[in-house]
């Protein structure tokens, strides 16, 4: 009997949820295809996000290692040289008999030649007669101050140049450069210095020192002051607007600067490039606003009765911001950008609908 039941079940036709030509099957296939396509898009976006996050993490780690290396290089040998030279310059200024402040044309090649002759005569006299004669017949020790530079005669036929940098009227770091030559007739060379390693003092020495020592001294001063100006401008916007700025990057000499400004309606990317290392204002500037639409923003922008033109997916160039960065210091330009950003975005996104 059981065999008869099994046989009847095998012979009974199977019931499918839909036939081959039924609309239900077609709908199922459509839904199945949509699900697959949607899943694929989600996976693709997730893969992109994952790759972006991995790249961001690697880049952040690289920046940290770069900063650690820079700090270590500046902390070790350079710090020792700085402390020694600073003490030597302080001793030279303390023992001076006169400080002469020069301005404009008073600082010239003739004066520099006089300083060179003085240090060599002093060194020769000390070598010939000894310290006792030097003490019995002391010579005047003159220090020259030209702008942000102090030039003094150091022991051993050396000329010392101390650069006093500043920002917004406030003093910043001291930097030193010591020049020497074997004789008055031979060219001078840079014996030692405390100029940051990423500033090209050796290239400037090769280009200028043998042909125009005064121009070399001035150029190094301009280089250091411009570096401090750019660095302090970045430090100041971080101090004042750090809660609005993210992803701020810069080169060591601060001649390439990039940062992102977060606004409720957009993300503003700022890219600055300086023509050279003695520039304090950028020459190549790019400021772009990237829309960051949420549901409320999209709904607002799609209302034609308000005279809006709809959503924008491409970045917008903010020319007013670029003009500000081209003519103002970075903190002043930043304040100008933030102040006028809402109006600039409104003028771009909110256009009057045609009558």
């Amino acid at each position: 009997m059981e065999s008869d039941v099994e046989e009847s079940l095998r012979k009974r036709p199977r019931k499918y949820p839909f036939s081959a030509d039924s609309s239900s099957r077609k709908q199922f296939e459509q839904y199945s295809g949509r699900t697959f396509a949607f899943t694929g898009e989600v996976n693709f976006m997730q893969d992109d996000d994952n790759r972006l996050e991995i790249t961001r993490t690697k880049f952040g780690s690289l920046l940290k290692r770069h900063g650690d290396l820079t700090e270590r290089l500046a902390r070790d040998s350079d710090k020792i040289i700085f402390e020694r030279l600073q003490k030597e310059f302080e001793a030279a200024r303390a023992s001076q008999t006169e400080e002469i402040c020069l301005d404009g044309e008073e600082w010239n090649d003739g004066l520099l030649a006089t300083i060179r002759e003085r240090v060599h005569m002093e060194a020769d006299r000390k070598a010939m007669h000894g310290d006792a004669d030097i003490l019995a017949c002391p010579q005047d020790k003159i220090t020259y101050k030209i702008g942000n530079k102090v030039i003094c005669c150091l022991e051993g036929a050396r000329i010392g140049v101390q650069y006093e940098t500043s920002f917004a009227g406030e003093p910043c770091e001291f930097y030193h450069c010591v020049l020497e030559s074997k004789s008055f007739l031979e060219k001078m060379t840079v014996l030692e210095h405390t100029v940051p390693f990423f500033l090209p003092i050796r290239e400037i020495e090769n280009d200028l020192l043998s042909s125009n020592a005064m121009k070399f001294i001035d150029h190094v001063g301009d280089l250091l002051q411009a570096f401090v100006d750019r660095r302090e401008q970045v430090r100041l916007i971080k101090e004042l607007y750090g809660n609005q700025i993210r992803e701020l990057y810069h080169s060591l000499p601060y001649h390439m600067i990039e940062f992102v400004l977060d606004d409720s309606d957009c993300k503003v990317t700022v890219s600055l490039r300086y023509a050279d290392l003695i520039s304090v204002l950028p020459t190549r500037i790019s400021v772009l606003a990237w829309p960051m639409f949420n549901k409320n923003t999209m709904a607002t922008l799609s209302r034609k009765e308000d005279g809006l033109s709809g959503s924008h997916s491409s970045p917008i160039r903010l020319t007013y911001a670029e003009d500000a960065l081209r003519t103002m210091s970075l903190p002043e330009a930043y304040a100008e950008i933030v102040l006028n950003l809402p109006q600039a975005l409104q003028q771009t996104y909110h256009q009057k609908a045609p009558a």
Side-chain angles (χ1 to χ4, degrees):
M1 178 139 183
E2 291 179 359
S3 61
D4 293 339
V5 173
E6 291 176 358
E7 185 177 356
S8 88
L9 288 174
R10 282 197 303 269
K11 291 180 179 180
R12 184 180 300 172
R14 296 180 181 178
K15 292 183 179 180
Y16 295 95
F18 44 76
S19 60
D21 57 347
S22 68
S23 60
S24 299
R25 176 164 186 163
K26 291 180 180 178
Q27 292 176 359
F28 177 79
E29 291 175 349
Q30 290 174 357
Y31 291 142
S32 176
R34 289 180 184 175
T35 303
F36 177 78
F38 179 74
T39 304
E41 290 176 3
V42 171
N43 290 337
F44 180 75
M45 293 171 63
Q46 289 177 345
D47 291 342
D48 272 358
D49 290 343
N50 290 337
R51 284 195 293 268
L52 182 61
E53 187 61 32
I54 291 172
T55 303
R56 189 188 301 274
T57 302
K58 289 182 177 179
F59 188 58
S61 176
L62 180 62
L63 286 176
K64 185 178 184 303
R65 290 170 56 192
H66 188 270
D68 292 343
L69 176 61
T70 303
E71 183 182 357
R72 187 165 66 251
L73 288 172
R75 184 177 60 237
D76 297 339
S77 60
D78 287 354
K79 186 176 180 180
I80 296 173
I81 296 174
F82 174 84
E83 291 175 350
R84 176 171 54 80
L85 288 180
Q86 184 64 19
K87 290 178 180 179
E88 190 170 1
F89 273 81
E90 289 174 355
R93 297 192 71 174
S95 63
Q96 71 185 19
T97 57
E98 184 181 4
E99 180 174 282
I100 300 177
C101 295
L102 305 175
D103 187 20
E105 295 181 356
E106 294 177 320
W107 165 235
N108 51 48
D109 292 326
L111 177 64
L112 184 58
T114 300
I115 297 173
R116 289 189 63 188
E117 184 179 14
R118 182 184 293 273
V119 296
H120 281 286
M121 289 177 60
E122 182 72 9
D124 293 343
R125 191 165 72 94
K126 188 172 182 179
M128 290 176 60
H129 302 287
D131 291 338
D133 185 69
I134 298 296
L135 293 174
C137 304
Q139 285 193 338
D140 293 338
K141 292 186 176 182
I142 303 174
T143 298
Y144 301 89
K145 185 170 178 60
I146 311 105
N148 69 331
K149 301 178 290 291
V150 175
I151 301 177
C152 58
C153 303
L154 302 177
E155 297 290 335
R158 296 174 301 150
I159 296 176
V161 185
Q162 180 175 267
Y163 298 96
E164 304 173 348
T165 62
S166 61
F167 178 72
E170 296 296 326
C172 294
E173 296 94 336
F174 291 110
Y175 296 97
H176 311 88
C177 182
V178 179
L179 307 175
E180 73 162 359
S181 60
K182 300 301 181 182
S183 71
F184 176 71
L185 298 177
E186 293 186 27
K187 68 176 184 178
M188 289 189 293
T189 59
V190 176
L191 178 63
E192 55 185 347
H193 65 87
T194 59
V195 176
F197 70 91
F198 45 80
L199 296 179
I201 186 171
R202 291 301 176 184
E203 288 83 347
I204 302 172
E205 176 186 4
N206 295 333
D207 293 341
L208 296 177
L209 186 54
S210 59
S211 59
N212 194 330
M214 188 187 78
K215 189 175 181 180
F216 166 82
I217 294 172
D218 290 343
H219 191 76
V220 172
D222 295 339
L223 191 74
L224 289 167
Q225 183 57 56
F227 159 67
V228 170
D229 273 337
R230 294 191 301 268
R231 184 198 66 194
E232 290 301 299
Q233 288 182 48
V234 171
R235 179 194 63 79
L236 193 55
I237 66 166
K238 289 170 63 177
E239 180 180 312
L240 297 176
Y241 310 107
N243 60 326
Q244 302 172 1
I245 296 175
R246 64 181 182 89
E247 299 180 22
L248 189 153
Y249 307 114
H250 60 80
S251 60
L252 288 176
Y254 289 83
H255 70 314
M256 295 187 293
I257 303 169
E258 294 186 359
F259 60 88
V260 176
L261 164 63
D262 267 340
D263 186 78
S264 58
D265 293 332
C266 69
K267 179 176 71 173
V268 179
T269 59
V270 179
S271 177
L272 307 176
R273 298 292 185 272
Y274 294 77
D276 48 50
L277 293 177
I278 60 173
S279 300
V280 295
L281 292 174
T283 52
R284 293 169 52 195
I285 305 167
S286 173
V287 183
L288 299 176
W290 300 79
M292 297 174 61
F293 294 129
N294 54 35
K295 292 181 179 180
N296 294 332
T297 307
M298 289 296 292
T300 303
L301 289 177
S302 63
R303 290 188 303 171
K304 298 297 183 179
E305 62 271 15
D306 287 344
L308 309 183
S309 60
S311 63
H312 293 247
S313 58
S314 59
I316 303 138
R317 183 179 175 184
L318 301 179
T319 55
Y320 85 93
E322 294 177 355
D323 292 339
L325 288 163
R326 195 173 285 109
T327 57
M328 302 179 183
S329 69
L330 188 53
E332 292 173 330
Y334 186 95
E336 184 78 10
I337 293 171
V338 174
L339 179 64
N340 294 293
L341 182 59
Q343 181 180 358
L345 294 177
Q346 185 176 16
Q347 290 176 352
T348 302
Y349 293 134
H350 296 62
Q351 302 173 0
K352 290 185 178 181

